[in-house]
Amino acid sequence: MRILVVGSGGVGDAVARIAARRRFFERLVVADVDLARAQRTVDAANEHDVVGGRFVAAVVDASDPSAVEALVREHGATHVLNAVDPRFVMPIFEGVRAAGADYLDMAMSLSRPHAERPYELPGVKLGDAQLAAHDDWAGNGRLALVGIGVEPGLSDVFARYAADHLFESIDELGVRDGANLVVRGDDGEPIFAPSFSIWTTIEECLNPPVIWSADRAEAGTGLEDGWFTVAPFHEPEVFRFPDPIGDVECVHVEHEEVLLMPRWVDARKVTFKYGLGEEFIGVLRTLHTLGLDRTDPVTVRGVQVSPRDVVAACLPDPATIGPRMSGATCAGLLVTGTGKDGAPREVYLHHVVDNAWSMAEYGAQCVVWQTAVNPVVALELLASGVWSGKGVLGPEAFDAVPFLELLAGPTPQGHGSPWGLEERQVG
């Protein structure tokens, strides 16, 4: 297997650091628009490469499908992992398809709210552009494994596991994500510093959240009628996360799991709620009020700039805040329904990563490490043939057990990052 990773930001850098400890691939090329940044990632990975010298840096314009195609062909890449902002999904997706390689990503093609009823009906949904290309990818014998980060990704694997091994029928698949992370400035006081791409966070949190309902699908004409939208920050709830995180207020957020899970897993309802916190919600509301969430350029002293890009440039790079961060992050899936024994059941499947551990072990802050480890696990399963498929598929289309075993298994065979199953009181 020869891998091309497009993007050497926080997640792309963490992918290389994790992959350096694995033996399943022959070569890994890290490409970025900034060659120096890609080279820094490659130097760090090669320093810990268990085989030696497998990492190479390259430059690429991720917005240009032909440039992506040319780079894939130049390095003979068999698999391409997209590790950049979702605005670049389609150029990379198309470039990889033209080059005849397999494709993986951690965020799907962008949505577009309904023009007239944005808080009732979906417009263009997350991933629509990619899923529409399924037959073409399948016909060419190629795989596009979409949404294989942590969320989407690990939560989707949890959904498959719950359906196959824990439940006879599922009432709701409820993704719940929260953390108790704190980032401190030079004076030791907490500062506002998102642990993930602010560009992506704005996109997710200010777009109309999507919910899936089997009742709506059955009342209509099928799958597409099951999705509906609500207003941002809808239906707040206090959710209890495993220690050391505890109670966090969560709200509905637009996310790919809601668009992926119903395609492969039977459930009456699918939701995604994220623990943003009062301060974060306030900042996002202010950005929206001021128009600073916009992506279309405005003219400032004769220069065209995107307001959202300016916001991102003014905040600390998520890849650099690890040493100033403390706490843990949790990704998980709350599943309710009827267990295999016919009794009502509610479980929370979860994965907790402590920042002190990820920094000490990999030099990567916990949110980007938790995102990056999952595509590395998936690539290893594809390399071994344990996972295989054709077309545009989500993580739910594959057997969950080998994935969870490889994630949690002791090193060096596994990644030494256990997941948990917590039984909760029904109702």
Side-chain angles (χ1 to χ4, degrees):
M1 177 181 281
R2 298 174 68 90
I3 305 166
L4 167 62
V5 177
V6 181
S8 60
V11 175
D13 182 76
V15 164
R17 291 171 183 266
I18 296 166
R21 303 187 182 191
R22 315 303 297 180
R23 297 178 178 273
F24 67 88
F25 61 94
E26 173 189 351
R27 176 63 59 91
L28 193 150
V29 179
V30 179
D32 198 283
V33 69
D34 182 346
L35 181 59
R37 184 165 72 168
Q39 189 62 55
R40 285 194 296 271
T41 291
V42 164
D43 290 343
N46 274 329
E47 185 177 345
H48 299 284
D49 186 1
V50 295
V51 175
R54 290 180 297 168
F55 293 81
V56 177
V59 65
V60 70
D61 178 358
S63 68
D64 183 356
S66 62
V68 174
E69 178 187 359
L71 190 62
V72 174
R73 294 186 184 279
E74 176 186 350
H75 290 277
T78 59
H79 294 74
V80 179
L81 172 61
N82 175 356
V84 294
D85 285 337
R87 57 186 149 166
F88 299 112
V89 162
M90 288 312 295
I92 298 172
F93 184 78
E94 295 297 347
V96 175
R97 176 165 58 168
D102 286 354
Y103 169 91
L104 299 88
D105 65 29
M106 294 163 279
M108 297 175 68
S109 58
L110 293 173
S111 63
R112 188 170 63 250
H114 194 282
E116 298 175 355
R117 300 156 70 183
Y119 302 142
E120 180 184 354
L121 299 175
V124 175
K125 301 187 298 303
L126 291 169
D128 273 357
Q130 292 172 281
L131 292 164
H134 171 78
D135 290 345
D136 188 28
W137 281 79
N140 290 324
R142 306 313 324 167
L143 169 66
L145 174 50
V146 294
I148 187 61
V150 60
E151 291 184 343
L154 181 56
S155 53
D156 304 74
V157 173
F158 282 150
R160 177 79 274 154
Y161 181 79
D164 289 347
H165 300 282
L166 304 178
F167 286 82
E168 191 65 32
S169 62
I170 295 174
D171 296 328
E172 181 174 351
L173 297 168
V175 182
R176 298 295 184 268
D177 184 358
N180 65 344
L181 298 169
V182 176
V183 180
R184 300 187 184 278
D186 294 337
D187 60 359
E189 293 298 314
I191 61 173
F192 182 79
S195 57
F196 203 72
S197 163
I198 189 63
W199 200 102
T200 304
T201 302
I202 289 173
E203 186 74 16
E204 293 174 348
C205 296
L206 293 179
N207 277 351
V210 182
I211 298 172
W212 157 261
S213 166
D215 291 341
R216 292 175 69 107
E218 292 164 0
T221 58
L223 186 73
E224 291 296 326
D225 292 297
W227 286 292
F228 66 99
T229 55
V230 294
F233 315 121
H234 179 70
E235 199 178 19
E237 68 167 285
V238 175
F239 187 81
R240 188 182 78 255
F241 290 93
D243 291 338
I245 297 172
D247 290 348
V248 178
E249 184 175 82
C250 299
V251 294
H252 283 286
V253 169
E254 179 191 46
H255 232 252
E256 289 90 344
E257 293 93 327
V258 179
L259 287 311
L260 288 173
M261 289 179 183
R263 300 177 187 276
W264 288 280
V265 180
D266 288 332
R268 302 304 301 173
K269 187 178 183 181
V270 182
T271 59
F272 181 98
K273 286 188 175 181
Y274 186 39
L276 292 172
E278 183 178 348
E279 179 190 25
F280 209 146
I281 290 175
V283 170
L284 291 171
R285 289 189 189 277
T286 299
L287 291 175
H288 181 65
T289 299
L290 297 176
L292 294 174
D293 59 328
R294 291 168 52 190
T295 58
D296 49 305
V298 298
T299 302
V300 180
R301 296 179 181 177
V303 178
Q304 291 278 296
V305 294
S306 160
R308 193 184 300 184
D309 287 345
V310 172
V311 172
C314 290
L315 291 170
D317 182 346
T320 67
I321 62 176
R324 294 185 286 165
M325 180 188 290
S326 62
T329 185
C330 177
L333 180 71
L334 183 69
V335 188
T336 58
T338 302
K340 294 293 187 181
D341 61 356
R345 191 178 190 187
E346 181 171 310
V347 302
Y348 183 57
L349 300 161
H350 59 271
H351 183 241
V352 177
V353 179
D354 181 80
N355 189 69
W357 175 85
S358 65
M359 287 297 300
E361 287 291 318
Y362 290 90
Q365 55 103 325
C366 59
V367 175
V368 298
W369 186 91
Q370 189 184 45
T371 304
V373 70
N374 296 287
V376 177
V377 171
L379 283 164
E380 187 159 353
L381 294 175
L382 292 170
S384 67
V386 173
W387 274 15
S388 63
K390 298 176 182 178
V392 182
L393 303 176
E396 303 88 346
F398 300 86
D399 185 2
V401 171
F403 187 102
L404 296 174
E405 289 179 345
L406 186 55
L407 175 67
T411 57
Q413 290 78 21
H415 289 268
S417 188
W419 56 280
L421 187 160
E422 179 183 321
E423 296 281 353
R424 297 210 169 180
Q425 185 174 353
V426 177

